[in-house]
Amino acid sequence: MNWWTELSMELQLFYGIGIIALSVLLIQLLLTLIGLDDDIDISDEMDSDGHDSGLSLLSVRSVTAFFAGFGWAGVAAASYGLPFLLSMVIALVVGFGFMFMIYYMMLALLKMQASGTLNYGNAVGEVATCYVTIPPSRTGSGQIEVMIQGRSCTVEALTSGDLEIAPATKVKVVGLVGRSTLLVETI
């Protein structure tokens, strides 16, 4: 422990911050490897814009990255004999760089994630099978079975035709009415 006591106060500060932040980053890595990696958003109270991505610049992961960059850059700058104020400026710049780097890396990873949300517009052009009788001239709705995004779905359907469509009849999806009702015609 003589090593620690022989350090200047500024090096103790930078080393302390760097060691603690690196320890937290290693714990986060370990938690990620075992599947317990939910990142806490520190700015939940400040965020009222309704975004639900769970990603924020002020997350535990990005703030920890800031302190890791700050601490170790400060150690490097102070070890070169730079004045404390200059070491602090360098540490802040590197810390914010680490923070933004982690934020943008997490943002890129989030963009690669599939949402799993079903887009009924993707059914237009597909052939389907009538499941529940569809009344004529959009006077009521029935149901069809159709493949949407690789999933077999039972979806509400209307027809503009003059005849009702009976169950087991093959139909073609020609449009989308509203968010989740499909417009069909017989084949």
Side-chain angles (χ1 to χ4, degrees), residues 103-119:
Y103 173 73
Y104 286 113
M105 283 175 40
M106 297 306 294
L107 191 62
L109 288 173
L110 189 63
K111 285 181 181 178
M112 292 181 354
Q113 182 179 350
S115 72
T117 304
L118 201 58
N119 180 354

Side-chain angles (χ1 to χ4, degrees), residues 4 43 53 74 92 115 118 125 132 149 160 167 170-171 175:
W4 181 260
S43 65
S53 68
L92 285 170
S115 72
L118 201 58
V132 174
Q149 296 170 214
S160 295
K170 294 291 182 186
V171 295

